[in-house]
């Protein structure tokens, strides 16, 4: 088998910074309610770990700008995130990106773009039509749905303005706002960013598990179908620690379906650390 010339390609290093305002805007964009002061109020703020993905969005964008794939037809296939340490309420990080793997799907290729720094390692899988057929490996199969009754059935609401709000955080791809661009990508209308759908799903999931969403330590999920702003999602979760007496800190497999029955998130796995008091609140107590 042969490999893609893009595999192993360095994409550079970039220093990114953020403020509490950015982290609050992110929480609101992914559906945090106004009364979750620990997510939307700078005096009590705990930054959602998935906010890190907006800080490294430049990495897959850089690969597209190099001409590895057609940015008008490529779609976000899946996302992984490994959290090394919590994000501060405001700060600066230097991230380095590379093309970790390129899988050959025949008529398409999947580019795995990895961005890493001291706080996290994030991997985007970009499904690129027309880029396959180079004789490489097909890559791993999709994870199977758990063969046991689900422990959690939850509702996730999206709202009509959500994609327009989320794009202000850095993912400005036109297909999420412009009807003509969405149609060029094969969609009937602008659709919600996969990362917004994913982060919005984690909020009720963490609540159901009895953990704080800021305690996320690892995440993996596939984007199976588009979500359109305003869709209501049904989220199903299978706890990896079903025993109520298990130690704090949970792992859960999950998937989400739109109200018309389409599976939109599949193969999801989220891990949360035991919840700990906010350090500033502890100091102020």
């Amino acid at each position: 088998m042969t490999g893609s010339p893009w595999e192993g390609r360095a994409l550079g290093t970039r220093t990114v910074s953020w403020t509490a305002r950015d982290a609050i805007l992110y929480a609101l964009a992914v559906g945090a309610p106004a009364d979750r002061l620990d997510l939307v109020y700078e005096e009590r703020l705990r930054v959602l770990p998935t906010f890190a993905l907006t800080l490294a969005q430049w990495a897959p964008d850089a690969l597209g700008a190099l001409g590895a794939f057609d940015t008008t037809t490529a779609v976000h296939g899946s996302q992984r995130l490994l959290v090394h340490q919590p994000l501060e309420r405001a700060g600066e990080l230097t991230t380095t990106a590379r093309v970790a793997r390129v899988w050959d799907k025949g008529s398409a290729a999947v580019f795995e773009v990895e961005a890493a720094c001291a706080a996290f390692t994030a991997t985007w899988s970009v499904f690129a039509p027309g880029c396959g057929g180079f004789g490489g490996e097909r890559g791993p199969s999709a994870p199977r749905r758990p063969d046991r009754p689900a422990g959690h059935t939850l509702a996730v609401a999206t709202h009509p303005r959500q994609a327009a709000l989320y794009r202000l955080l850095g993912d400005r791809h036109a297909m999420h706002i412009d009807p003509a661009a969405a149609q060029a990508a094969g969609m009937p209308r602008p659709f919600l960013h996969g990362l917004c759908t994913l982060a919005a799903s984690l909020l009720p999931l963490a609540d159901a598990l009895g953990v704080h969403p800021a305690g996320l330590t690892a995440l993996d999920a596939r984007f199976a179908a588009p979500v359109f702003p305003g869709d209501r999602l049904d989220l199903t979760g299978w706890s990896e620690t079903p025993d109520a007496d298990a130690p704090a800190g949970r792992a859960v497999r999950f998937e989400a379906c739109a109200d018309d029955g389409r599976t939109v998130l599949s193969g999801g796995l989220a891990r949360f650390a035991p919840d700990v008091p906010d350090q500033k609140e502890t100091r102020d107590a």
Side-chain angles (χ1 to χ4, degrees), residues 9-275:
R9 178 75 64 93
L11 298 175
T13 296
R14 187 171 301 186
T15 298
V16 293
S17 62
W18 70 97
T19 66
R21 178 183 181 278
D22 300 319
I24 291 169
L25 176 61
Y26 174 80
L28 292 169
V30 301
D35 60 357
R36 281 296 305 263
L37 299 188
D38 52 342
L39 299 179
V40 303
Y41 179 39
E42 57 274 12
E43 292 300 319
R44 304 183 188 178
L45 184 61
R46 296 180 66 177
V47 179
L48 291 170
T50 47
F51 174 64
L53 299 173
T54 71
L55 302 176
Q57 179 62 45
W58 67 270
D61 290 348
L63 180 59
L66 289 174
F69 48 77
D70 184 347
T71 58
T72 65
T73 59
V75 295
H76 193 173
S78 67
Q79 184 68 49
R80 296 195 300 274
L81 175 66
L82 182 62
V83 180
H84 306 311
Q85 63 188 45
L87 291 174
E88 298 290 339
R89 298 170 186 182
E92 182 179 275
L93 285 171
T94 298
T95 55
T96 300
R98 67 188 182 101
V99 181
R101 294 299 299 266
V102 183
W103 304 111
D104 188 351
K105 300 297 185 180
S107 62
V110 172
F111 294 82
E112 290 197 352
V113 180
E114 180 186 276
C117 64
F120 61 86
T121 300
T123 305
W124 282 253
S125 290
V126 180
F127 182 84
C131 295
F134 53 84
E137 297 181 28
R138 286 191 59 83
S141 301
R144 293 184 178 182
R145 193 174 192 260
D147 186 21
R148 63 180 188 273
H152 308 282
T153 302
L154 310 165
V156 181
T158 69
H159 59 78
R161 294 177 294 178
Q162 198 156 5
L165 181 59
Y166 187 87
R167 68 185 298 271
L168 299 179
L169 293 151
D171 187 340
R172 300 294 184 93
H173 290 91
M175 62 185 71
H176 299 297
I177 192 73
D178 183 348
Q183 291 174 9
M187 301 296 175
R189 59 187 184 278
F191 55 99
L192 195 58
H193 305 69
L195 291 180
C196 184
T197 300
L198 183 54
S201 299
L202 292 175
L203 294 177
L205 193 58
D207 288 342
L209 293 171
V211 295
H212 196 284
L216 182 75
T217 59
L219 177 64
D220 196 348
R222 296 187 178 218
F223 306 112
V227 172
F228 298 99
D231 280 353
R232 176 189 178 277
L233 307 182
D234 294 316
L235 181 67
T236 305
W238 295 264
S239 178
E240 295 288 272
T241 55
D243 187 348
D245 296 327
R250 296 293 180 91
V252 62
R253 297 189 182 277
F254 64 94
E255 65 180 29
C257 296
D259 51 13
D260 62 3
R262 291 176 297 117
T263 299
V264 297
L265 293 176
S266 65
L269 175 62
R271 299 185 184 278
F272 295 88
D275 199 19

